[in-house]
């Protein structure tokens, strides 16, 4: 047994998985919600055992982590006898700026580095730091590894990551494209390399979930991605606008009487397919509404898939061609209609999908016979990728 605990700490939540790296199987997983808010709750499941739910006020991440440890070691519901059986802890960290191009074994210097990027990841980095500090305190002596959402994208060339604003804004304030979902894009690209037995591939990875992004991965390295300084740039998402003319922002502020902060919140939470449709950010609801003749739900779906198609075209151009287009995430893995709409009209690039294979869910090769470009559904697994990185660095 080589047990690694993977932690994804949000501002009021902790998601965790215990993975046995001898067989890469999940032993237990759970979620603490509403930390520091009335009505905190822990939901824990050990594989093969009954689900455990605890409703108890947990004022901070320390209190929540203590309950996670109790659940993991519980005689009835737990997965281990003692926390000593866990050899290392891997943490998802949102923003690693330009400092972190790789996962890092946590020490004070690394923590300082993560603190340095709080300004760029104001909601996530403080929570990620809390998650790490809590584990260091409650499991002294265990190695902690930070795995950054931005790290995989650090191989982008400067002409791709810079914005067309004065160079000083980049030099003095580090304003540039960073990209996110890097752990997922990297995992998907590696799975494809393993599947096809070669690394010299031009891949467009499409991670489509509540948040969505595309990456152009050439010979295993990211050369471009759709998200930017923050996860707001790029695709039209569940509730995020994606690309928008920056001059629309002061206009929105004036028309809706919003502060800068309120406007960023509006662009992150009230826009995207939710804002367009007025129905939902969930694609199952949108498709049901569109089938019943809701025009705006239909429009939202069209906008979502059109923007993806446009970026696929851009990334194919950036890579000088394409060998594989891969879909992942809650939408990418489950929604054949979205996949089909994203690729419709790309036959000129040599892309065509097998309609029957495209109806399936989960891992699948949906390439049509004779298609020059492979089209794959590759379920992503960020937790496993974090556990692999943690094992490689800590054990
Ligand atoms: P997150 O970005 O939070 O990790 P996920 O990758 O789990 O999100 O994606 C969640 C989204 O996936 C849901 O909002 C929903 O739109 C979509 N989704 C999940 N299952 C299906 C399905 N069977 N058909 C269509 N869309 C789905």
């Amino acid at each position: 047994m080589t047990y690694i605990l993977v932690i994804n700490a949000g501002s009021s939540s902790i998601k965790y998985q215990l993975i046995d790296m001898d067989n890469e199987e999940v032993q237990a997983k759970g979620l603490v919600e509403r930390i520091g808010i009335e009505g905190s709750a822990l939901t824990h499941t050990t594989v093969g055992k009954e689900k455990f739910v605890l409703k108890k006020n947990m004022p901070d991440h320390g209190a929540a982590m203590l309950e996670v440890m109790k659940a993991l070691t519980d005689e009835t519901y737990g997965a281990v006898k003692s926390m000593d059986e866990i050899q290392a802890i891997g943490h998802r960290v949102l923003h690693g700026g330009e400092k972190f191009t790789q996962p890092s074994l946590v020490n004070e210097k690394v923590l300082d580095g993560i603190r340095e990027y709080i300004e760029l990841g104001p909601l996530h980095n403080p929570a990620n730091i809390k998650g790490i500090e809590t584990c260091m305190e409650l499991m002294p002596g265990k190695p902690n590894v930070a795995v950054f959402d931005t790290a995989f994208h650090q191989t982008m060339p400067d002409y791709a990551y810079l914005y067309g604003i004065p160079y000083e804004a980049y030099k003095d304030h580090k304003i540039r494209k960073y990209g996110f979902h890097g752990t997922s894009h990297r995992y998907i690209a590696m799975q494809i390399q393993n599947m096809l037995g070669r690394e010299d591939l031009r891949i467009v990875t499409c991670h489509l979930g509540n948040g969505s992004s595309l990456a152009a991965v050439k010979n295993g390295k990211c050369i471009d991605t759709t998200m930017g300084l923050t996860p707001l740039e790029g695709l039209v998402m569940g509730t995020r606008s994606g690309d928008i003319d920056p001059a629309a922002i002061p206009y929105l502020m004036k028309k809706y009487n919003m502060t800068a902060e309120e406007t960023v919140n509006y662009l992150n939470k009230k826009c995207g397919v939710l804002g367009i449709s007025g129905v939902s950010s969930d694609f199952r609801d949108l498709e049901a509404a569109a089938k019943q003749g809701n025009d705006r739900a239909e429009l939202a779906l069209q906008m979502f898939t059109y923007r993806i198609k446009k970026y696929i075209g851009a990334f194919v151009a950036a890579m000088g061609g394409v060998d594989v287009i891969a879909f992942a995430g809650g939408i990418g893995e489950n929604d054949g209609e979205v996949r089909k709409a994203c690729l419709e009209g790309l036959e000129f690039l040599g892309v065509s999908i097998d309609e029957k294979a495209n109806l399936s869910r989960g891992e699948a090769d949906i390439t049509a016979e004779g298609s020059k470009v492979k089209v794959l559904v590759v379920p992503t697994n960020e937790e496993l990728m974090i556990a692999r990185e943690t094992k490689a660095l800590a054990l």
Side-chain angles (χ1 to χ4, degrees):
M1 285 179 311
T2 311
Y3 280 175
I4 288 182
L5 182 62
V6 176
I7 300 281
N8 182 353
S11 53
S12 65
S13 70
I14 295 178
K15 278 191 218 144
Y16 62 94
Q17 279 193 10
L18 181 69
I19 303 179
D20 182 354
M21 291 308 287
D22 287 348
N23 51 22
E24 296 198 332
E25 278 177 15
V26 176
Q27 303 300 311
K29 61 177 166 183
L31 165 70
V32 189
E33 291 170 287
R34 301 180 67 84
I35 299 170
I37 310 169
E38 192 75 16
S40 331
L42 161 78
T43 314
H44 171 94
T45 317
T46 295
V47 172
K49 292 188 179 175
E50 218 179 301
K51 184 155 122 182
F52 170 63
V53 180
L54 173 75
K55 296 209 163 126
K56 174 181 175 181
N57 271 352
M58 295 175 237
D60 53 35
H61 284 65
M65 204 55 217
L66 268 177
E67 297 301 339
V68 170
M69 288 167 60
K70 275 194 211 156
L72 280 166
T73 52
D74 188 271
E75 239 174 75
T76 314
Y77 304 104
V80 289
K81 284 208 171 65
S82 104
M83 292 304 281
D84 283 340
E85 289 175 42
I86 294 168
Q87 278 154 292
I89 305 133
H91 298 265
R92 176 185 178 219
V93 179
L94 181 84
H95 219 302
E98 289 189 323
K99 198 165 247 158
F100 298 105
T101 59
Q102 301 281 341
S104 300
L105 195 59
V106 174
N107 54 29
E108 268 314 310
K109 218 172 122 202
V110 168
L111 274 174
D112 280 343
I114 303 172
R115 283 188 196 107
E116 212 178 300
Y117 294 112
I118 286 179
E119 235 187 330
L120 292 177
L123 294 179
H124 294 84
N125 275 30
N128 302 151
I129 293 167
K130 262 193 212 150
I132 296 172
E133 285 177 339
T134 304
C135 287
M136 289 169 85
E137 205 181 298
L138 298 177
M139 290 175 264
K142 299 278 179 205
N144 287 270
V145 171
V147 181
F148 300 90
D149 249 33
T150 48
F152 180 59
H153 303 300
Q154 278 296 306
T155 48
M156 285 190 286
D158 50 6
Y159 56 79
Y161 69 66
L162 285 172
Y163 292 121
I165 57 177
Y167 197 75
E168 290 71 29
Y170 163 61
K171 276 193 71 185
D172 299 340
H173 303 294
K174 298 283 174 243
I175 298 173
R176 50 160 286 181
K177 183 191 269 289
Y178 290 95
F180 298 86
H181 292 142
T183 308
S184 175
H185 289 294
R186 173 144 188 259
Y187 177 85
I188 300 163
M190 282 173 72
Q191 287 291 101
I192 294 167
Q193 288 176 335
N194 289 338
M195 248 185 259
L196 304 182
R198 46 187 276 232
E199 284 185 13
D200 58 330
L201 292 164
R202 295 158 299 182
I203 310 173
V204 179
T205 49
C206 310
H207 176 108
L208 312 179
N210 280 323
S212 297
S213 69
L214 261 54
V217 184
K218 192 175 185 181
N219 303 330
K221 290 205 162 72
C222 175
I223 65 155
D224 209 341
T225 190
T226 54
M227 283 178 167
L229 175 77
T230 79
L232 188 50
E233 191 180 334
L235 304 177
V236 177
M237 306 180 213
T239 62
R240 293 190 186 116
S241 64
D243 297 340
I244 180 172
D245 181 347
I249 291 166
Y251 198 66
L252 272 168
M253 290 169 75
K254 206 160 88 187
K255 290 291 172 195
Y256 290 116
N257 195 22
M258 293 187 290
T259 63
E261 208 177 306
E262 284 164 351
T263 312
V264 171
N265 191 51
Y266 168 91
L267 291 169
N268 270 302
K269 304 258 171 74
K270 305 254 159 65
C271 294
V273 293
L274 169 70
I276 294 293
S277 67
V279 172
S280 168
S281 64
D282 192 298
F283 277 64
R284 289 161 288 200
D285 301 339
L286 282 178
E287 272 155 17
K291 282 199 178 96
Q292 283 168 10
N294 185 315
D295 291 343
R296 270 168 51 194
E298 180 66 40
L299 175 64
L301 288 165
Q302 272 175 351
M303 288 175 66
F304 181 79
T305 55
Y306 174 72
R307 179 98 36 109
I308 292 169
K309 186 188 305 188
K310 216 162 78 166
Y311 266 116
I312 290 175
F315 286 177
V316 171
M319 292 191 291
V322 61
D323 301 299
V324 182
I325 298 173
F327 289 93
I331 302 162
E333 287 163 31
N334 295 306
D335 198 328
E337 285 179 43
V338 164
R339 292 192 296 255
K340 185 175 164 205
C342 292
L343 300 179
E344 227 150 34
L346 296 185
E347 293 78 13
F348 76 99
L349 286 177
V351 179
S352 74
I353 56 169
D354 182 307
E355 300 240 352
K356 206 161 146 224
N358 187 40
L359 295 174
S360 65
R361 284 199 189 150
E363 186 169 315
D365 183 342
I366 59 170
T367 318
E369 225 179 277
S371 173
K372 276 200 298 195
V373 178
K374 258 201 174 314
V375 186
L376 303 173
V377 180
V378 183
T380 194
N381 193 337
E382 287 162 283
E383 291 80 10
L384 178 57
M385 192 73 220
I386 293 172
R388 283 181 183 165
E389 306 276 24
T390 303
K391 183 181 169 197
L393 271 182
L395 303 184

